[in-house]
Amino acid sequence: MAHKKGVGSSRNGRDSGPKDLGVKAFGGEFVRAGSILVKQRGTKFHPGQNVRRASDDTLFTVVDGRVKFEHKNKKRYKVSVYPAAKEADGDGQRRTATAEARAAG
């Protein structure tokens, strides 16, 4: 005779949902400040210029700009975001976000 209850389905039902990891913004894409660039476990990609790492190793940007994946050294990659020049102002000059910040104060 069986020594275990033959229940099957009541013992099943432990399946975690997908974690949705991976690259969310690819090289050359324009991103807004606060956008998630990479969801990862561990640091496959390291934060570069204008990018910060969250406590769960997610990389996010702190400025508006274009994403660039670069070599940090021979075996590590970093993700940077470089501020993109804004459209022409009323006086016909192109200004970056940093130039605007300097002009403002």
Side-chain angles (χ1 to χ4, degrees), residues 4-50:
K4 298 275 187 180
K5 264 182 130 173
V7 288
S9 64
S10 69
R11 297 265 175 119
N12 299 334
R14 288 176 305 278
D15 190 16
S16 61
K19 301 300 178 227
D20 298 322
L21 302 176
V23 177
K24 306 300 180 187
F26 295 92
E29 274 188 55
F30 181 81
V31 290
R32 308 288 280 173
S35 298
I36 292 175
L37 304 175
V38 181
K39 295 273 280 182
Q40 59 186 355
R41 295 291 172 260
T43 50
K44 181 178 173 76
F45 296 101
H46 293 259
Q49 191 172 341
N50 300 317

Side-chain angles (χ1 to χ4, degrees), residues 45-61:
F45 296 101
H46 293 259
Q49 191 172 341
N50 300 317
V51 174
R52 302 288 183 266
R53 185 177 67 90
S55 59
D56 66 347
D57 296 318
T58 295
L59 300 182
F60 63 96
T61 178

Side-chain angles (χ1 to χ4, degrees), residues 44-87:
K44 181 178 173 76
F45 296 101
H46 293 259
Q49 191 172 341
N50 300 317
V51 174
R52 302 288 183 266
R53 185 177 67 90
S55 59
D56 66 347
D57 296 318
T58 295
L59 300 182
F60 63 96
T61 178
V62 292
V63 297
D64 295 348
R66 298 234 171 248
V67 178
K68 185 163 185 184
F69 285 79
E70 304 169 311
H71 286 280
K72 184 174 183 179
N73 55 35
K74 280 189 174 183
K75 56 185 187 176
R76 297 190 199 281
Y77 284 100
K78 68 179 179 179
V79 185
S80 298
V81 174
Y82 295 104
K86 288 205 169 186
E87 297 304 317

